[in-house]
């Protein structure tokens, strides 16, 4: 008996999905359209620009120490350099160079400083709604660090490996349109199925002869049509 009920329930779900397929398609179209409108009219594209610098100790220090020891010391100081780049001393100068267009907190949110494992190369990347401004901030930050680090830690050997370049053909890194549209599709399918299952949960009647045949596997011998009150009155009068 349990297996039969389970089968009937599963069949009823499948039939309900079939009967409500236009609801499912409509909900799916609404979610996809909403995501499309958001991406094209409301979402702000974010671009990223990156510059790389190489930090070594001064040449005088390198002459007085073994090269391997010097490189190891530089590697240990990379985290310190990264913290200095995001420090108020550097960002204040960057803020001035940008004519106070962004404050220190905004610059901190835009700038990311990373370095590869066992590497003296530091990547300075900037996220901004304008690719040209992102490149300007990245280059200005690197230049400011190069100038100020000589005063802070007596390090003069800072080399710029690559500048951030604005080409006019940049592609935004955010929002990720394909990912958002894919998630919208999945959400639309989930909402559609939840709607159908909720509707099925509160439904306690058969809606058609086909549904009776598919769910109960019984042959329908005939149907009785519903007669309106006006039809009954007219029939009596004719008699």
């Amino acid at each position: 008996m349990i297996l039969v009920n389970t089968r009937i329930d599963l069949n009823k779900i499948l039939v309900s999905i079939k009967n409500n397929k236009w609801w499912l398609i409509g909900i799916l179209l609404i979610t996809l359209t909403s995501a499309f409108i958001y991406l094209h009219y409301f979402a702000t594209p974010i671009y990223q620009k990156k510059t790389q610098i190489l930090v070594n100790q001064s040449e005088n220090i390198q002459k007085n120490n073994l090269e391997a020891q010097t490189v190891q010391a530089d590697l240990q100081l990379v985290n310190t350099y990264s913290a200095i780049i995001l420090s108020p001393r550097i960002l204040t100068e960057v803020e001035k160079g940008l004519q106070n267009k962004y404050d220190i907190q905004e610059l901190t949110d835009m700038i990311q400083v990373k370095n590869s494992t066992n590497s003296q190369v530091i990547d300075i990347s900037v996220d901004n709604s304008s690719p040209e401004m992102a490149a300007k901030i990245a280059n200005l930050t690197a230049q400011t660090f190069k100038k100020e680090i000589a005063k802070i830690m007596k390090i003069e050997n800072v080399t710029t490996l690559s500048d951030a370049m604005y080409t006019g053909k940049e592609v935004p890194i955010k929002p990720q349109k394909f990912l958002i549209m894919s998630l919208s599709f999945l959400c639309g399918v989930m909402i559609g199925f939840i709607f159908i299952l909720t509707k099925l949960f509160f439904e306690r009647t058969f809606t058609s002869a086909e549904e009776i045949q598919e769910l109960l596997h019984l042959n329908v011998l005939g149907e009785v049509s519903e007669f309106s009150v006006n039809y009954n009155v007219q029939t009596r009068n004719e008699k």
Side-chain angles (χ1 to χ4, degrees), residues 84-104 107 111 136-137 139-149 151-152:
I84 292 174
I85 292 173
L86 295 176
S87 66
R89 177 162 179 173
I90 302 298
L91 296 184
T92 298
E93 296 299 321
V94 175
E95 180 183 1
K96 293 178 181 177
L98 297 172
Q99 287 77 45
N100 299 319
K101 184 173 183 178
Y102 301 103
D103 58 30
I104 293 179
L107 291 173
I111 301 172
K136 183 178 181 180
I137 294 174
N139 292 329
L140 183 57
T141 302
Q143 295 168 6
T144 304
F145 171 76
K146 185 175 181 179
K147 180 180 66 175
E148 295 295 326
I149 195 65
K151 303 175 185 178
I152 298 172

Side-chain angles (χ1 to χ4, degrees), residues 46-70:
I46 301 297
Y47 300 86
Q48 185 178 83
K49 287 296 180 178
K50 181 187 298 182
T51 182
Q52 290 183 324
I53 57 177
L54 174 65
V55 184
N56 288 320
Q57 296 186 31
S58 64
E59 296 180 359
N60 292 331
I61 295 178
Q62 290 185 17
K63 291 179 181 179
N64 296 329
N65 294 276
L66 296 175
E67 182 178 356
Q69 294 177 345
T70 303

Side-chain angles (χ1 to χ4, degrees), residues 121-137:
V121 177
I122 298 176
D123 295 332
I124 302 175
S125 58
V126 177
D127 296 345
N128 194 279
S129 58
S130 168
E132 186 175 7
M133 180 57 67
K136 183 178 181 180
I137 294 174

Side-chain angles (χ1 to χ4, degrees), residues 23-33 184-189 192:
W23 278 104
L24 180 61
I25 294 174
I27 293 173
L28 184 59
L29 290 176
I30 290 174
T31 55
L32 290 176
T33 303
S184 299
F185 177 82
L186 293 177
C187 289
V189 172

